[in-house]
Amino acid sequence: PMTATHNITILGSTGSVGQNTLAVIEAHPAYNVYALTAHRNIGLLLTQCRQHSPSFAVVTDPESADLFSALLQESDCDTELLRTEDALAQVACAEEVDSVVAAIVGFATLLVAHHLSLSGDTLEMMRAVLDSNFWLATHVVVITLGYAATFLAGAVAIGGV
């Protein structure tokens, strides 16, 4: 069961997945934005920080982080900018965080996943799926259909179908 406030970190909040996640959060007051991260889109990140008041923000591009720090100081926002090397992992693995939306690509995602795996049992979130044959079967079918759709799209793209 979800606690009264469900804290969420969004890695890549300025991209389309991150923006859509924030739109869903706006419609559900039980969710709280704990941290937002971006690479370079600091204008949108500042707007998001003003709107959602996260405890922390991370900007991974050093030049953009300098600019964002100045913008944050000039704003009326209480969000703290984290600038450490492991800041993404820090906001993803914080004890206060209930869920992480990883809307980033590349090696950064692997680093975050590695840090999350160090915190203990990663199968706890899968309990609902594993405890029920219905959900396990549904999960397997959906994953298989996803692979089939990807294969079909590839075949169509190269003219094989």
Side-chain angles (χ1 to χ4, degrees):
M2 196 166 70
T3 59
T5 302
H6 192 84
N7 289 321
I8 297 179
T9 289
I10 303 174
L11 306 177
S13 67
T14 59
S16 61
V17 172
Q19 290 179 55
N20 286 325
T21 302
L22 287 171
V24 170
I25 288 172
E26 288 171 15
H28 296 88
Y31 293 98
N32 177 58
V33 177
Y34 178 78
L36 298 173
T37 77
H39 183 60
R40 287 196 184 112
N41 194 347
I42 59 173
L44 179 54
L45 181 62
L46 182 62
T47 300
Q48 292 173 339
C49 287
R50 285 181 173 152
Q51 185 172 359
H52 297 280
S53 303
S55 298
F56 300 101
V58 176
V59 178
T60 56
D61 177 64
E63 275 185 34
S64 299
D66 291 339
L67 293 171
F68 186 74
S69 178
L71 290 172
L72 202 56
Q73 288 176 355
E74 294 171 6
S75 76
D76 56 351
C77 188
D78 292 331
T79 301
E80 178 184 344
L81 176 63
L82 297 179
R83 303 180 71 139
T84 61
E85 191 173 301
D86 65 341
L88 285 177
Q90 185 178 343
V91 296
C93 300
E95 191 172 306
E96 300 88 350
V97 174
D98 298 303
S99 295
V100 177
V101 175
I104 57 177
V105 297
F107 188 67
T109 305
L110 293 175
L111 288 175
V112 170
H114 172 71
H115 282 282
L116 286 171
S117 70
L118 295 176
S119 64
D121 185 10
T122 58
L123 287 178
E124 183 62 32
M125 293 174 270
M126 293 292 292
R127 178 171 280 168
V129 173
L130 298 173
D131 283 350
S132 164
N133 285 335
F134 171 77
W135 289 115
L136 183 57
T138 301
H139 173 80
V140 170
V141 168
V142 168
I143 296 297
T144 303
L145 288 174
Y147 283 126
T150 302
F151 176 76
L152 180 61
V156 168
I158 61 172
V161 175

